[in-house]
Amino acid sequence: MNKHTPLALALFSGGLDSILAARLVQDQGITVRCLHFVSPFFGKPQLIPHWEKCYGLNIEAIDIGDDYIRMLRQRPEHGFGKVMNPCVDCKILMMRHAGSLLRERNASFLISGEVVGQRPMSQRRDTLNVIRRDGDVRDILLRPLSARLLEPIAAERDGLVDRNRLLDFSGRGRRSQLELAEQMGIAEIPTPGGGCRLAEKENARRYWPVLTRLPNPGAHDFELANVGRQFWAGTSWLALGRNASDNQELERLTRPGDMLFRLCDFTGPLGLARPFAGPWDIQVVQDAAALIASYSPKAVQHATEQGKPVSVRVEICGGEKTIVDAVPSRRTGLPWGMPDFIEVRDAIRKECLATFAE
Ligand code: SF4
């Protein structure tokens, strides 16, 4: 970078608005470095090389998982959206992080793709102001797609950015964005929405028990919650691979003290148990082994035809191994399952009086 070229940092989700916002500023001759925030709940760092080529941007991944989970543990001040998405606190956290990088890298201002009135929770005009204030980015946050509807920031007043070349988009429609993308020659338009697991009901069922039953959940716990089939019985937590790639992922996520369950003589799911509340009783181990075996058709067939249990090897990561006999069954003594979404939603409402619709 030429030392006289101003540097701006852009919050980059990979969505169309974030692409357009970064390009609008970059097309004014300003160097833009895009920050793609990653956590167990969002982020696709594997797409960065593709995005860079496709959109002509310079992008880096920034892991904010630990900070994000701290915010969830303390509960978001502005509540959750329709599912488990704490959009306002999420944006404040990202702004704060981006603001500290701005100071560290001596950049001039931040860019975000927010559009006034686009989302009921996090992009209402008053909420945009809250995000700017609580994110500590007053006067340094440029929202190029709606800038002409908002007060000019220092970079506009100082002439670093030409405000006349910024836009006045508002509302939920995407027509203006699509037209702008066409003018910019952007051929690959990302599909709207998606990308945040916290906004999906199925994932809230995975995450809520982790957040509320583990004493001090970390990013690795939520990563485990993302994989395969999830089962809970009180504080006993078990994840089962649905296919070979889940099984590999479970092996990768194994930590000291975890228990790995494998069928000895049949192909089938790998089971990973995380006994965070103390070692499991042998009855719980046997129960889990029976459940795991029930997801192997060959083990089920064998046990039915021969009238005999199958063997399951249980290995404590960094510790002992044992073999248990199990009759494959999904009707075990313990009520293995996941909370349904209504249950999760009611628990969220009870805990956080301030909830919003997103
Ligand atoms: S949808 Fe997810 S990533 Fe997007 S603002 Fe909300 S919580 Fe953050």
Side-chain angles (χ1 to χ4, degrees), residues 42 68 85-87 90-91 94 122 196 198-199 358:
F42 48 77
Y68 205 95
N85 45 316
C87 291
C90 169
K91 295 204 166 192
M94 289 183 185
S122 58
C196 177
L198 287 163
E358 179 82 329

